[in-house]
Amino acid sequence: MVLSRFFLAAAVAAAVILSAPFIGELRRWIRATFPGHFVLVVASAVALSIGLAIAVALFRIRNRRGMRYTAIAASLVLGVAYAMWTAQGRPEVDVVERVHFVEYGLITFLFYRAWRPVGDASVLVLPFLAGLCVGTLEEWLQWFIPGRVGDMRDVFLNAAAIVCGLLFSLGVDPPDRLSPRLNRGSLRRIGVSSSFVALVFAAFVYTVHVGVENHDAEVGSFRSLYDNATLLRLAQERAALWKAQPPIGRPQGFSREDQYQSEGHLHVHERNNRWDAGDLRGAWYENLILEKYYTPVLDSPSFLSKTGHRWPDEQRTDAMHRSEAARAANQAPYESLADVAEGRHFIRPWRPATFWIVALIVVFAMLGVTYSIDRR
């Protein structure tokens, strides 16, 4: 490994991670400076970056042309195919996700260059693990930032970008030799790195996705990062805090996201959507969840609504009467889908002890297998 190249790769990776609070500000600046052209501006920047990378790559190729052209073409085909497969049909979201391919393609190339002299299969595995770790840390930090979302789905998106980056790196600067056998110490480096990345990913998933499924005879069930008792305590705390300092200013990228408030807004959104869609039963129960567990979100003015989100008495009474028939016809406990995104629950009701037992078993199994094989 070339230390100077490794430190450069690490510095760029750190810059990508720490830039997370600024990305939201950059997006707002683009929208304000080029109104109505956000998608065009970002797409043009992505296309220009990829085009420049291809031009540099083609200029560097002097030998082994067939293999190198094939690797570069494969990276482009894979990237386009994955982008089309994961497209959500929302141009602003889709074009931002394409930025990941540029970011993680660059990060992968830099780590690949650092390990290139090793000359065995670890030159492919270690950059992949490094990129995956960077992607996980970036998503983890985004979870704490208002307006950004940390999601393990995006980690997998980053993984696809990393694979494309590896293929592109092989085309641009293939190793002088690439032995299928691992050199002394390479297996241990792979094992330790894999275990570390697995531990980081587990901690990320636990922080962002692991929650509880709360059951309440009055309101049904709903998923949250907090249990019923904690939600009631947070409601009291926020009511006192927001009475003196209502959250009326739009959170900026440099502040900490209030996950309790964000959950409340999800239920407000779900209630309003169900009401507009004519699902009176669902709207009624979502409102009950809000009234019982997210009262400060209903009553406090915020950056989303200067008057809060509580239904006026007339609307609440009307909703109660109009939903009676639907509630009588469907006696099954209500299950809220407020946290569902893209067809999947964002919050997973896994037991923390079970989650960490499984995660640690995987981590120590990786280490055990690595050291047992390395001794042979």
Side-chain angles (χ1 to χ4, degrees):
M1 180 177 67
V2 181
L3 285 179
S4 60
R5 291 179 177 177
F6 179 82
F7 288 133
L8 174 62
V12 173
V16 168
I17 295 170
L18 297 176
S19 68
F22 301 92
I23 298 300
E25 305 301 319
L26 178 60
R27 292 178 187 175
R28 279 189 280 273
W29 178 83
I30 293 174
R31 290 189 178 97
T33 307
F34 306 97
H37 299 288
F38 176 84
V39 174
L40 177 63
V41 171
V42 177
S44 299
V46 170
L48 180 62
S49 301
I50 295 175
L52 181 61
I54 293 173
V56 172
L58 296 179
F59 178 78
R60 288 177 57 92
I61 294 177
R62 292 291 183 271
N63 54 26
R64 293 183 281 178
R65 286 185 170 88
M67 181 275 290
R68 296 170 72 175
Y69 287 146
T70 300
I72 292 174
S75 72
L76 296 175
V77 170
L78 178 61
V80 171
Y82 190 82
M84 293 176 63
W85 181 50
T86 58
Q88 301 178 36
R90 293 180 290 172
E92 288 206 1
V93 175
D94 291 337
V95 76
V96 168
E97 290 195 346
R98 306 303 170 257
V99 177
H100 287 252
F101 280 87
V102 176
E103 287 181 336
Y104 285 90
L106 174 61
I107 289 172
T108 304
F109 175 74
L110 293 175
F111 278 113
Y112 165 83
R113 290 273 292 165
W115 275 299
R116 178 181 175 276
V118 175
D120 62 24
S122 66
V123 73
L124 302 177
V125 179
L126 292 174
F128 177 83
L129 293 172
L132 200 61
C133 186
V134 173
T136 303
L137 291 173
E138 184 191 16
E139 292 298 322
W140 200 351
L141 179 58
Q142 285 183 183
W143 187 80
F144 295 96
I145 299 172
R148 304 298 305 276
V149 177
D151 190 346
M152 60 181 174
R153 173 189 173 276
D154 289 338
V155 176
F156 300 138
L157 171 66
N158 295 339
I162 293 165
V163 172
C164 293
L166 277 175
L167 289 170
F168 192 86
S169 300
L170 285 172
V172 174
D173 192 15
D176 297 327
R177 59 184 179 85
L178 185 59
S179 171
R181 295 177 60 86
L182 294 174
N183 297 330
R184 183 175 181 81
S186 290
L187 178 62
R188 184 172 298 182
R189 284 192 290 271
I190 290 174
V192 172
S193 300
S194 300
S195 302
F196 177 76
V197 173
L199 188 61
V200 170
F201 183 73
F204 159 72
V205 171
Y206 179 77
T207 303
V208 174
H209 290 289
V210 175
V212 294
E213 184 154 9
N214 292 307
H215 297 276
D216 186 308
E218 296 177 354
V219 304
S221 65
F222 63 98
R223 297 188 180 193
S224 170
L225 296 173
Y226 317 101
D227 60 25
N228 301 56
T230 303
L231 283 170
L232 293 174
R233 176 177 59 80
L234 290 173
Q236 291 181 333
E237 292 176 357
R238 295 299 189 279
L241 176 63
W242 292 348
K243 184 176 182 180
Q245 298 177 329
I248 54 177
R250 180 173 290 277
Q252 301 299 312
F254 308 103
S255 59
R256 169 80 180 266
E257 180 167 358
D258 186 338
Q259 299 298 337
Y260 171 82
Q261 183 186 35
S262 297
E263 282 191 8
H265 287 159
L266 287 177
H267 286 285
V268 169
H269 184 70
E270 183 74 5
R271 178 196 67 181
N272 295 345
N273 281 348
R274 288 183 178 272
W275 178 264
D276 293 340
D279 181 3
L280 304 180
R281 175 179 181 268
W284 174 252
Y285 280 115
E286 287 293 341
N287 193 63
L288 289 182
I289 292 172
L290 285 162
E291 289 182 346
K292 185 167 186 178
Y293 293 102
Y294 300 93
T295 308
V297 175
L298 289 179
D299 294 334
S300 302
S302 71
F303 60 94
L304 291 180
S305 173
K306 294 181 180 180
T307 58
H309 301 279
R310 184 177 288 277
W311 273 345
D313 291 340
E314 298 81 3
Q315 183 178 0
R316 187 183 188 280
T317 302
D318 180 49
M320 179 177 63
H321 291 312
R322 291 176 60 189
S323 66
E324 282 180 351
R327 286 184 282 136
N330 187 353
Q331 295 292 326
Y334 175 71
E335 179 184 0
S336 174
L337 302 178
D339 74 300
V340 169
E342 299 172 24
R344 300 185 301 274
H345 279 289
F346 185 84
I347 298 172
R348 274 72 171 181
W350 295 328
R351 293 181 180 275
T354 304
F355 175 86
W356 279 113
I357 288 172
V358 173
L360 292 177
I361 287 175
V362 171
V363 169
F364 284 111
M366 287 180 174
L367 289 173
V369 170
T370 297
Y371 279 91
S372 64
I373 295 176
D374 197 48
R375 285 180 182 176
R376 296 177 183 176

